[in-house]
Amino acid sequence: WSETEKTITTSSPLSLLSSSTTTTMMEDIANSHAGRNHPTNLKLFYKLYSPHADVKFVVLHRPFEKMVLSHIDFDNGSVEGHSNVIRGFLLVVRRFLDWLDKEEGEYTTGEEEEKLWTLVCVDRLESDDGGANDGNVGNDQDNDARRNIVKYLAKFLGWSNEECPECFSHWKTSTKNHLVGQDGRDILEEHVKTLKGIWPPPVLEGALPEQMMCSL
């Protein structure tokens, strides 16, 4: 237990790895000890807890550019540095999900195998008002998407109640709007190309329309 716990909780700064060549850097971060174990080792987490509890994962997806620019001051304070780290983590998560798909038969009980992870596209839940209104105020399409996702997650997670009128009552659409120059835009455009076929992960069978329209 102590050795497992030590591995799970290992954390190391990834900023030291955040500037190099485009594709190589993403893979270097994903393959590094820090990348695989910070803030937790997903495989060890699953193996440790799944014999004692039903463990499922809900993957929250935000558009890549929004993820990078919302914390542009992280990882050496550059677009390239933070983008490299984000890409590295996306590759770590994708590899874990692929592994989970292969391993799920070993850990799933019952006659029917259930998926152990699902995807939620955060941009499909955001209001178009730019955050000016409260989270529970949106157009009909926003509200329908939110109801559909809550109902879907309730079924996926085995909740008894599929209605949650207040779930988005405190939801706030991000108002961060960091401006970057053309050099930053060029970097993001190049980095997005390296994620093709990696992120977002493929849509699962029986997924909602809201899960089939994740924008990278």
Side-chain angles (χ1 to χ4, degrees):
W1 165 262
S2 60
E3 289 301 316
T4 302
E5 184 179 39
K6 184 186 299 183
T7 304
I8 287 177
T9 57
T10 297
S11 61
S12 300
L14 291 172
S15 58
L16 297 176
L17 298 172
S18 61
S19 59
S20 184
T21 59
T22 305
T23 304
T24 302
M25 178 46 52
M26 174 176 67
E27 294 177 349
D28 284 347
I29 291 176
N31 293 334
S32 69
H33 181 79
R36 289 181 285 108
N37 294 282
H38 178 80
T40 193
N41 185 302
L42 292 170
K43 287 184 180 180
L44 290 180
F45 176 89
Y46 181 74
K47 287 183 175 181
L48 183 63
Y49 288 103
S50 59
H52 311 289
D54 291 331
V55 180
K56 292 186 175 183
F57 298 86
V58 177
V59 181
L60 298 179
H61 165 79
R62 290 185 69 197
F64 180 72
E65 183 175 317
K66 287 187 176 180
M67 280 196 292
V68 174
L69 297 184
S70 64
H71 294 289
I72 198 173
D73 54 328
F74 285 14
D75 304 309
N76 295 332
S78 69
V79 171
E80 183 176 19
H82 192 42
S83 179
N84 279 332
V85 172
I86 292 293
R87 290 186 304 129
F89 274 125
L90 292 179
L91 182 55
V92 168
V93 174
R94 176 56 193 274
R95 288 174 175 174
F96 170 70
L97 297 178
D98 289 345
W99 174 84
L100 203 59
D101 284 339
K102 294 178 181 179
E103 294 291 313
E104 63 180 355
E106 179 179 348
Y107 295 100
T108 303
T109 58
E111 295 182 359
E112 293 187 10
E113 292 185 2
E114 296 181 358
K115 278 290 184 182
L116 298 178
W117 66 273
T118 192
L119 180 71
V120 171
C121 307
V122 175
D123 54 316
R124 298 292 298 164
L125 306 178
E126 293 181 337
S127 174
D128 294 329
D129 59 23
N133 294 317
D134 289 336
N136 59 346
V137 178
N139 59 43
D140 290 341
Q141 186 175 359
D142 294 331
N143 292 328
D144 287 344
R146 293 169 180 178
R147 280 193 293 268
N148 289 341
I149 286 294
V150 169
K151 186 174 182 178
Y152 175 88
L153 289 179
K155 182 178 180 180
F156 174 72
L157 297 172
W159 295 342
S160 59
N161 189 358
E162 296 182 351
E163 299 292 332
C164 185
E166 301 299 321
C167 273
F168 290 91
S169 61
H170 297 289
W171 180 279
K172 297 291 183 181
T173 299
S174 176
T175 58
K176 294 181 179 179
N177 186 26
H178 292 291
L179 299 178
V180 294
Q182 188 58 48
D183 288 347
R185 293 292 176 186
D186 291 343
I187 290 172
L188 289 175
E189 184 177 339
E190 188 66 25
H191 284 190
V192 164
K193 293 178 183 178
T194 66
L195 292 171
K196 185 177 181 181
I198 297 174
W199 202 266
V203 176
L204 308 178
E205 183 179 351
L208 298 173
E210 288 82 5
Q211 295 172 288
M212 301 173 67
M213 300 176 69
C214 283
S215 57
L216 179 57

